[in-house]
Amino acid sequence: MSATWGRFVFAILCAGILAPDSSGAEAKPIHKVLLIGIDGCRPDAIEAAHTPHLDRLIKQGLYCENTDILASRETKGDTVSGPGWSNLLTGVWPDKHGVVDNSFKGSNYQEYPHFFARVKEARPESKTASFSSWPPIAEKILSHSDETINAKAQHAQDYLVADDELSTAAAKCIRAGKSEVVVCYFGQVDETGHGNGFHPTVKKYVESIERVDGYIGRLLEAIDERQKTSPETWLILVCTDHGGLGTNHGGGREKPEIRQVFIIASGAEVKAGKTSEPTYQVDIVATALDYLGIVPQANWKLEGQSVLDLKRSE
Ligand SMILES: [Zn+2]
């Protein structure tokens, strides 16, 4: 090989654009991300529930048991879904994205958009997909989505149907193989908590988590199939926007049952373990971008840290 040709091949390798050979043996797997959001899900209720799919993700992945839904500085956000999902999907806190309650007044998604915008800025060819049952996710927060299901649930019963349908659609999307980043949001756990109580001893609340676990099973089955048949490796993130106490969660900044939640980061390339290091909702976007190999630009002013390299305690 001539020195010039060698440098050329080296440059291609460094750029990471070497095409897979026909056998696929040398192909570097494409990194893809599935973000699963379960609204209003207390971590102690997951423990109480029979959730084989979540258990598998926790066992095989990294469980962050000390995730805060509020920033260490005062950012004026209430402990409700509007600011919570904005934190989780934009990667910045309410004093930047502007959403402090469920009115969405003052939102600044122009400057701090849904992270799909960041993925597409870095990689315009990337495809994104969003499936959700709480309408503001799709109608207020979401942008830059190539495939969107806004299941538009309003009442508790609607969420059961909507979550079921949207998980089937999301599994189909994963199987189709076009999307690099898929977000799947389930609303029924929060809805059941408001109706019956957010607590591991509340049967209906625990059962709603078990139902959602069944939907997560559909998504994981689709990912397992893709990983067997295609050069893809998925990171699966699971998170929530808040816990709950009694039948509410607003005004919960002094209440650990509301404020302290969890992050699960699981996948073939994630080292298993548990960490009690402080983690935050804004770490979700940082972790997704890290796994996709996207270095955040300074002018995005993102705030989180990737959880993937956190020290494991076991
Ligand atoms: Zn919520």
Side-chain angles (χ1 to χ4, degrees), residues 80-106:
V80 295
S81 301
W85 292 109
S86 299
N87 300 339
L88 288 159
L89 294 170
T90 66
V92 299
W93 293 111
D95 54 357
K96 288 186 178 172
H97 61 61
V99 178
V100 297
D101 56 32
N102 285 346
S103 75
F104 287 84
K105 275 192 198 121

Side-chain angles (χ1 to χ4, degrees), residues 131 147 149 164-174 218-219:
F131 303 85
E147 185 178 345
I149 299 278
D164 186 3
E165 285 178 1
L166 72 87
S167 64
T168 301
K172 196 173 160 198
C173 166
I174 290 166
R218 288 177 186 163
L219 307 177

